[in-house]
Amino acid sequence: MQALVVVDAQNEFSPDGQRAAAGHADALTAILHLVEQARRAQLPIAWIRHHNRPDEGQAFRPGTWGAEFSPGLGPADGHGPEVEFHKDVFGAFSGTDLEAWLRGLGCDGLLLSGFFPHMCVSTTAREGLMRGFAVAVDPDATGARDDDDDRLGRMAADEVRRSALLQLADMGVQITGKGVRAAG
């Protein structure tokens, strides 16, 4: 069985947030569609919320608007199991009970969505692969930002996203836009 894992779909990535993602509204629409599909199929949904550590700046501070899930997102009752996990590092498996929860439900596959594909989504995908899960990412349900470095140059958000997804595909992650599936 496949679980939907929604990584850091928080206000901080909105146009008004401190980590604004290009194409945020389109990514949220795709994430909401995946959530609706998973709920109709009674599939598990893991909601991952990032909180910065106290020494990491003002973004993603617990209790702030930026740390809240984007409108319409977050655990809901009356569907398949939905649980929220908190992390303070890039990967959703590190320091959380995500793996135990997934294994307890009999999940062997993950469909990832969220922000940023070159950071938290990528790290979570790699962690999932290393734990033996079949991992998929819906590229439409992800959002990135422009990246700029004095020595390495600049990449537009879509290039950042595509590069991260290409690297994940090379490692065996399935890149799909077909939604959730019940059998693994």
Side-chain angles (χ1 to χ4, degrees):
M1 171 175 45
Q2 186 180 55
L4 176 62
V5 180
V6 182
V7 180
D8 303 347
Q10 296 166 254
N11 288 330
E12 209 66 87
F13 294 108
S14 73
D16 294 326
Q18 296 182 54
R19 303 288 188 271
H24 182 260
D26 290 338
L28 281 184
T29 297
I31 292 168
L32 284 165
H33 178 72
L34 292 177
V35 169
E36 290 170 9
Q37 283 185 319
R39 285 177 174 163
R40 277 196 306 273
Q42 299 287 312
L43 295 177
I45 303 175
W47 296 93
I48 312 303
R49 185 191 308 260
H50 183 83
H51 285 149
N52 271 0
R53 296 175 183 166
D55 63 337
E56 292 181 315
Q58 297 302 309
F60 303 104
R61 289 271 188 204
T64 65
W65 172 85
E68 295 302 314
F69 286 122
S70 295
L73 297 177
D77 294 327
H79 309 285
E82 297 187 28
V83 174
E84 180 177 330
F85 297 91
H86 296 145
K87 64 179 184 62
D88 63 2
V89 294
F90 295 134
F93 286 92
S94 296
T96 71
D97 293 326
L98 177 60
E99 182 177 9
W101 183 73
L102 292 166
R103 299 245 186 250
L105 294 171
C107 294
D108 59 359
L110 312 174
L111 175 59
L112 303 181
S113 63
F115 302 92
F116 287 142
H118 60 293
M119 294 174 75
C120 297
V121 172
S122 177
T123 303
T124 300
R126 293 165 196 243
E127 288 177 335
L129 288 173
M130 290 187 302
R131 287 164 172 81
F133 290 98
V135 180
V137 176
D138 184 337
D140 294 333
T142 66
R145 63 171 167 81
D146 295 350
D147 234 345
D148 199 348
D149 181 84
D150 289 341
R151 292 183 309 152
L152 299 173
R154 184 178 191 289
M155 286 180 79
D158 190 54
E159 293 170 314
V160 170
R161 182 172 71 132
R162 285 181 34 250
S163 175
L165 294 171
L166 281 167
Q167 292 170 35
L168 290 174
D170 193 44
M171 290 179 212
V173 171
Q174 181 184 6
I175 307 301
T176 181
K178 298 180 182 183
V180 297
R181 59 179 170 76

